[in-house]
Structure formats: C-alpha cells, structure tokens
Amino acid sequence: MGLTGQKHTNTSMNITLTHGDCVEEMKKMQEGSVDLTVTSPPYDNLRTYEESLQWNEDIWKQVIEQLFRVTKQGGVVVWIVGDATIKGSETGASFKQALYAMAVGFSLNDTMIYQKFGSGMPHKSHRYGQSFEYMFVFSKGKNTHGVIQTYPKTGAVGKTTRRQKDGSIKKGTYNIGGGKLPNIWQYAGETKQNHPAPFPEQLAYDHIISWSDEGDTVLDPFLGSGTTAKIAKKLKRNFIGIEKVEEYFDIAQERIKTIQPELTLT
C-alpha cells in the first residue's frame, strides 16, 4: 500500500483511489470521462502537506488543462481556493487560475463564496480578518445535471418593491419564498481528520447534489483525507480520487471503507 500509481478499487460502486501525482494520473484517464470535480488545491503553499508537494503556476496550469481534458461536455469543476498574503498583499493567484481556466475553454458558471462560519483569521497588517475562500464553478459547455437548491415555497404573498430594467422602482404583490439560494455558503469548521485543510462534508454534499446525478463520475485530484470521496459514495456517485501524500491517502482509504450509500426514497 502506498506505492506510486497503486490503485484500490471498489468495483460495486466504482470507487477508485490512486496514490500518485495528479497531473500524471489524469494524463492516463480517458478524455471526457468525468461529470464533476470538487477539489481544493494546495494554493500558495499555505500548508506544508508533509513537505512533499510543490505548487506553482506551471503546475496549476497543467492541472487545469488536464481537468478540462477529462471533463465531459456539460461537466463542472468546483475549484475551492484562496490567496496567501505576502508582504502585505494578497497574491491574486486564485483570480489568475480562474482566468486561465476560462482561457483553456471553461465557462465561469458562478463565483461562489465559502464563508467559514464563526472564523476570521487575524492579521498583523491593517486589514480585516480573513474568513472565506472562493469556490469557482467552471463548466464545460452547458451543465444540466444536479438540482439547484431553493428556499421552500411558502405559498404566501406579500407587498414589496422590485427594481425594473430601466432602474425604476415598482410596487407590487409577489410570492414569498421559492427563490434560488444565494451563492455565499456558510459552514462551521471541520474536524481536521489528520489533514491540515479539510473542507466541510456538507460543502461537498451541496456541490455534488447541485452539479451531478446518481451514477455520475466525481473526481478529486487532491483527495486529501477523502471528504469528497466519502460524500460521493454516500450519494451513489462513481468516484476517482488522487493523492500524492501517502499518509493522507491511507487516511482516505480507511475513512470511506464503512460508508454506505444513502437510501433512495420513492
């Protein structure tokens, strides 16, 4: 266990975990074979990851290029990322990555915010506490999978105002509730799972149900402790995970062994 390129597959659910370099492993994957990617790269070297990873512009460009190649037409990539602050300035690497993804052919379907509820990293510099990360939602063509979540419909109506296209304000009676959820999502911090930067299970759940269907294939090229794998298995998605750090690869394997798919109610 832990040899580079070694694969462990659960054939009943098509869950494949690979220990290796994500760029090299994605090169082996079939073009247009992935419906959804949910991942958080090791941005700006903010974490050491056992001192085994290098992360720079040359590498993230290769990762994005391979993600575009393996993503199906109509597929989605959720790229969860933030920026380091160096010498008093944020690096802006997240924006560079988003623009490069568009340059290789992705559409920027949505720029979402992952707000870490109740947190705010203090800074020595004269600026506010950092409490969010970007969730860039890239699509390869038009995505029609998944279910966009909405507020419950109340059936009630109320008097309110709405701004018209010409800028004027119109009073009227409108249905209350039933609109789409906003694109700022709040989550409490996640237990670390012996990994320096896991994202919340609910975050993975919300993206998987939003952008994929049962039986689709979900990828996480930076598997980490296996959060995306765990939730994909629960939601009856096929899954491919790649992780370079042996310790995290082993944690992910153990973490998803006992996970059972959720029951489908009919």
Side-chain angles (χ1 to χ4, degrees):
M1 182 167 60
L3 297 176
T4 300
Q6 187 170 354
K7 298 185 178 183
H8 297 263
T9 304
N10 178 332
T11 54
S12 62
M13 280 292 296
N14 293 320
I15 306 294
T16 301
L17 306 183
T18 302
H19 177 222
D21 177 83
C22 69
V23 172
E24 296 305 315
E25 295 301 327
M26 282 193 289
K27 288 178 180 178
K28 302 172 187 177
M29 293 171 57
Q30 183 178 349
E31 183 174 348
S33 57
V34 174
D35 297 283
L36 170 65
T37 296
V38 180
T39 197
S40 183
Y43 47 87
D44 279 345
N45 294 317
L46 286 175
R47 304 289 188 274
T48 63
Y49 295 95
E50 305 299 315
E51 298 183 352
S52 69
L53 296 181
Q54 291 184 333
W55 186 249
N56 54 47
E57 184 170 334
D58 179 62
I59 294 173
W60 60 249
K61 282 184 174 180
Q62 292 182 66
V63 173
I64 291 171
E65 289 164 5
Q66 287 302 316
L67 285 174
F68 184 78
R69 189 186 67 82
V70 302
T71 300
K72 291 181 181 178
Q73 195 67 26
V76 163
V77 172
V78 180
W79 184 264
I80 303 166
V81 69
D83 295 309
T85 299
I86 299 174
K87 295 181 180 179
S89 174
E90 293 186 358
T91 62
S94 58
F95 299 111
K96 295 176 185 176
Q97 292 161 13
L99 291 171
Y100 189 72
M102 297 169 70
V104 301
F106 281 115
S107 297
L108 182 52
N109 185 65
D110 201 347
T111 301
M112 302 183 68
I113 297 295
Y114 156 33
Q115 184 173 9
K116 301 170 186 179
F117 183 74
S119 72
M121 292 292 288
H123 290 280
K124 295 180 181 178
S125 58
H126 190 68
R127 57 198 296 259
Y128 293 104
Q130 182 64 36
S131 64
F132 75 91
E133 295 177 16
Y134 297 104
M135 300 188 292
F136 294 112
V137 181
F138 303 114
S139 61
K140 187 175 179 178
K142 185 178 181 180
N143 174 261
T144 57
H145 292 222
V147 179
I148 299 298
Q149 302 304 294
T150 60
Y151 291 110
K153 292 184 178 180
T154 64
V157 294
K159 292 186 178 298
T160 185
T161 60
R162 290 187 177 177
R163 187 173 294 278
Q164 306 303 301
K165 288 184 178 180
D166 62 3
S168 62
I169 300 296
K170 181 180 179 180
K171 294 182 179 180
T173 302
Y174 304 99
N175 291 325
I176 298 175
K180 293 179 181 178
L181 293 179
N183 59 2
I184 298 175
W185 292 356
Q186 290 185 331
Y187 301 95
E190 188 69 16
T191 303
K192 291 242 171 173
Q193 300 289 345
N194 295 316
H195 185 275
F199 50 67
E201 291 185 3
Q202 188 64 46
L203 181 153
Y205 183 98
D206 290 341
H207 278 302
I208 290 171
I209 62 172
S210 294
W211 316 114
S212 71
D213 300 318
E214 282 189 16
D216 282 353
T217 296
V218 177
L219 167 68
D220 188 348
F222 300 100
L223 177 64
S225 58
T227 300
T228 307
K230 175 181 177 179
I231 303 305
K233 185 177 180 182
K234 289 183 70 173
L235 293 174
K236 300 180 182 178
R237 271 66 166 172
N238 302 309
F239 181 79
I240 302 168
I242 306 167
E243 176 54 50
K244 190 173 184 180
V245 179
E246 183 175 1
E247 178 185 351
Y248 304 150
F249 179 75
D250 292 342
I251 291 170
Q253 287 191 103
E254 292 300 318
R255 190 177 179 193
I256 69 170
K257 272 183 179 178
T258 59
I259 299 301
Q260 298 298 319
E262 292 185 350
L263 294 175
T264 301
L265 301 179
T266 59

